[in-house]
Amino acid sequence: MVEDVFLQEIINITFLSLRVSGTAVLIGALIGIPVGAFLGFRQFKGKKTMMRLVDVMLKSIINTFMGLPPVAVGLVVYLLLTSSGPLGWLGLLYTPTAMVITQLIMVVPIIIGVTMSAVGSVERSIMEKALSLGATKNQAAFLVLREARVGVLTAIIVAFGAAISEVGGIMISGGNIRWFTRTLTTAIVVETELGNFNMALALGAILLSIAFVINLALTVLQIKGARR
Amino acid sequence: MRAVEVRGLSKDYSGRLVLRDVTFDVHEGEFFVLLGPNGSGKTTLLRILDLLEEPTTGKVFFEGEEVDYSKDRATLRRKIGMVFQHTVLFDMSVFDNVAYPLKIRGDLAKADIERKVARVLEDVELSGFERKNALALSGGEAQRVALAQALVAEPKLLLLDEPTANLDPKNVSIVEGILSRLNREKRTTIIMTTHNMFQAERLAQRVALLNEGEIRAIGPFRDVFGNQSLSSQ
């Protein structure tokens, strides 16, 4: 009976982690890929001094946000969603949704930044070649995005890796409530503090396995990309 | 009938004039070669004819109609094929690379696309290469795929920017053979740039000598360079 609950809790925690991080990355991809692609495409346009300055500023801001401290994001989300905060009326604090919002804020700059670099690194000549073959601007842009597909997939995997291993932000905004907002990382913290090392080790092994699968996928993609 | 008319064309890059008052005509079905040293403006001229760049001044007429560079260029580009000096292929199979210009038009059945791709690959002597990744090909094969891409939609005008500059003699011979055949049998109008006088003599019905952005002479090769053939020397 005790073992059943133990197992059930591990499954619950694992699925919640995957659901929260997966949702954040999915929404992050829907926002980040088009924005990253748009910023990456800017390099194909004529470069005037003002545009260069805007590009440098935009890219610097995105690079800064790629390294956002998770606890700071968690704090901001907490202050926004707390009952006295501007979005307190939504009643989202200490829910999985609050955790998704926290992780979303973290992953969007990562996806934008990596997609931007991937699209920007595709040679300008690919765009010109497509236009020369009679493609419309949209068709040529889609082809460039296709050529950058390994980079775009890398962006998603890197973002998922960052989200699933994040602890500070979701601890603050999710509250680490057992059976409700407890994820692999927050559970490891609590179980270690309580001295439940079996549970902590089991969760750590699961987290490590997920991280391994992510890195395996990333490595395979990179090898495939290098063979091009 | 004139396929292309260029009138008083100039191109200025931030104060640097790379083309000056260029004027010439190319007739339908003609093999026309722009001959000149590196930096003479050949590539810029070809890029303007391919609508990749706008002239600073001057006009271009295609089949008698003035080219409006401010309008959507995709429709007109579909009548023009261009092969760049540095081969650019997409990270997909040879078939998909060659089929790309047909697929983006969206008005051809799959069977028609397959038939056209098979035929053009046969023309460039690459039958059997359909499934290979285009980026894994040798330089000569890749340039022939680029040629097939430019030819598959049966363009009225083919622009070639030093298409054999990076090829070994065997592949140069193959590509020249394909171009001669294409011009002779299908009457495709070809404008090719080269700095190789021997190649110009072998292929061109007329040459234009371009230097420092200006056309210095134009006409049949022997009229421009005298009666002595280079190949007989």
Side-chain angles (χ1 to χ4, degrees):
Chain A
M1 183 67 188
V2 174
E3 278 185 3
D4 275 358
V5 174
F6 178 79
L7 194 65
Q8 265 189 347
E9 186 164 14
I10 288 180
I11 292 169
N12 177 279
I13 287 169
T14 306
F15 274 99
L16 181 70
S17 293
L18 291 171
R19 185 158 63 90
V20 167
S21 299
T23 309
V25 171
L26 185 69
I27 299 169
L30 292 175
I31 301 167
I33 292 173
V35 175
F38 173 77
L39 293 173
F41 280 128
R42 286 175 67 92
Q43 75 151 18
F44 295 117
K45 298 195 174 170
K47 286 286 181 189
K48 292 188 175 154
T49 312
M50 194 59 203
M51 273 179 70
R52 277 197 194 132
L53 193 67
V54 171
D55 274 7
V56 169
M57 289 304 291
L58 272 172
K59 284 172 185 173
S60 300
I61 290 167
I62 286 159
N63 287 336
T64 306
F65 275 78
M66 280 174 80
L68 275 179
V71 283
V73 178
L75 178 65
V76 170
V77 173
Y78 176 89
L79 292 172
L80 287 171
L81 297 181
T82 193
S83 56
S84 57
L87 301 174
W89 56 274
L90 290 170
L92 291 175
L93 192 63
Y94 301 142
T95 64
T97 307
M99 295 154 75
V100 169
I101 293 168
T102 307
Q103 292 197 345
L104 183 64
I105 294 170
M106 285 171 48
V107 299
V108 163
I110 295 173
I111 296 173
I112 291 176
V114 180
T115 302
M116 185 174 72
S117 300
V119 170
S121 68
V122 174
E123 288 179 55
R124 183 194 171 106
S125 53
I126 293 281
M127 186 85 166
E128 283 197 338
K129 175 71 181 268
L131 290 172
S132 173
L133 289 172
T136 61
K137 280 181 184 170
N138 285 344
Q139 286 171 328
F142 183 76
L143 183 76
V144 170
L145 202 57
R146 188 190 179 280
E147 293 285 306
R149 62 192 180 278
V150 173
V152 174
L153 278 171
T154 303
I156 292 168
I157 292 170
V158 168
F160 188 76
I164 197 102
S165 59
E166 192 276 319
V167 55
I170 52 170
M171 183 88 97
I172 296 172
S173 61
N176 196 24
I177 302 164
R178 198 176 180 195
W179 298 101
F180 187 50
T181 58
R182 186 163 290 179
T183 64
L184 287 166
T185 51
T186 60
I188 290 170
V189 174
V190 171
E191 299 300 339
T192 306
E193 282 174 353
L194 293 174
N196 296 333
F197 296 115
N198 284 347
M199 182 72 159
L201 281 170
L203 295 168
I206 293 168
L207 190 59
L208 200 64
S209 304
I210 293 171
F212 175 74
V213 170
I214 291 164
N215 279 295
L216 185 68
L218 191 58
T219 309
V220 168
L221 278 177
Q222 283 166 343
I223 291 169
K224 210 176 154 192
R227 278 198 199 131
R228 290 195 304 165
Chain B
M1 186 176 169
R2 292 175 185 132
V4 178
E5 296 162 65
V6 176
R7 296 283 174 268
L9 203 76
S10 295
K11 180 69 183 176
D12 185 308
Y13 287 115
S14 311
R16 191 170 62 90
L17 204 57
V18 292
L19 288 174
R20 300 157 196 261
D21 196 23
V22 171
T23 295
F24 65 91
D25 295 333
V26 179
H27 306 291
E28 264 188 16
E30 187 177 19
F31 201 133
F32 187 83
V33 170
L34 288 161
L35 184 66
N38 292 337
S40 58
K42 305 187 298 291
T43 298
T44 304
L45 180 52
L46 230 52
R47 286 172 62 83
I48 291 171
L49 296 179
D50 195 34
L51 295 91
L52 288 170
E53 300 204 27
E54 292 179 31
T56 307
T57 56
K59 290 177 180 176
V60 175
F61 296 85
F62 182 67
E63 294 181 325
E65 267 190 52
E66 186 180 343
V67 175
D68 184 349
Y69 285 84
S70 64
K71 280 190 182 169
D72 172 39
R73 303 172 194 182
T75 312
L76 184 51
R77 274 203 190 103
R78 290 175 184 184
K79 294 179 181 174
I80 302 170
M82 167 120 175
V83 177
F84 296 84
Q85 181 181 352
H86 299 287
T87 313
V88 180
L89 295 176
F90 310 136
D91 183 13
M92 48 178 89
S93 69
V94 168
F95 177 88
D96 287 335
N97 264 277
V98 178
Y100 182 78
L102 301 176
K103 284 181 179 172
I104 53 176
R105 289 164 206 224
D107 57 356
L108 276 176
K110 197 179 166 195
D112 289 333
I113 292 175
E114 284 172 355
R115 188 173 42 79
K116 281 175 182 276
V117 171
R119 197 169 57 201
V120 79
L121 282 176
E122 197 180 319
D123 287 345
V124 299
E125 300 172 30
L126 284 176
S127 293
F129 280 65
E130 290 85 348
R131 286 169 181 267
K132 286 193 177 182
N133 186 299
L135 303 189
L137 301 175
S138 71
E141 290 163 352
Q143 192 64 321
R144 279 187 276 155
V145 172
L147 190 56
Q149 267 182 328
L151 294 176
V152 72
E154 297 167 20
K156 294 191 169 179
L157 173 66
L158 183 61
L159 304 170
L160 305 160
D161 187 14
E162 305 213 25
T164 59
N166 302 314
L167 303 185
D168 59 47
K170 185 188 164 200
N171 275 297
V172 170
S173 172
I174 292 173
V175 170
E176 285 187 3
I178 293 165
L179 295 176
S180 294
R181 212 164 48 238
L182 182 77
N183 177 248
R184 199 175 52 245
E185 292 172 6
K186 296 191 176 168
R187 301 287 299 150
T188 304
T189 308
I190 298 176
I191 303 178
M192 185 178 93
T193 68
T194 184
H195 58 258
N196 184 332
M197 290 177 70
F198 293 93
Q199 189 173 49
E201 188 191 18
R202 281 195 299 271
L203 296 172
Q205 286 155 14
R206 282 192 308 145
V207 297
L209 189 60
L210 194 66
N211 195 25
E212 294 178 347
E214 285 181 85
I215 291 196
R216 300 290 166 87
I218 193 163
F221 187 89
R222 291 188 182 193
D223 290 358
V224 173
F225 293 98
N227 280 327
Q228 188 68 35
S229 167
L230 291 170
S231 51
S232 65
Q233 286 176 9

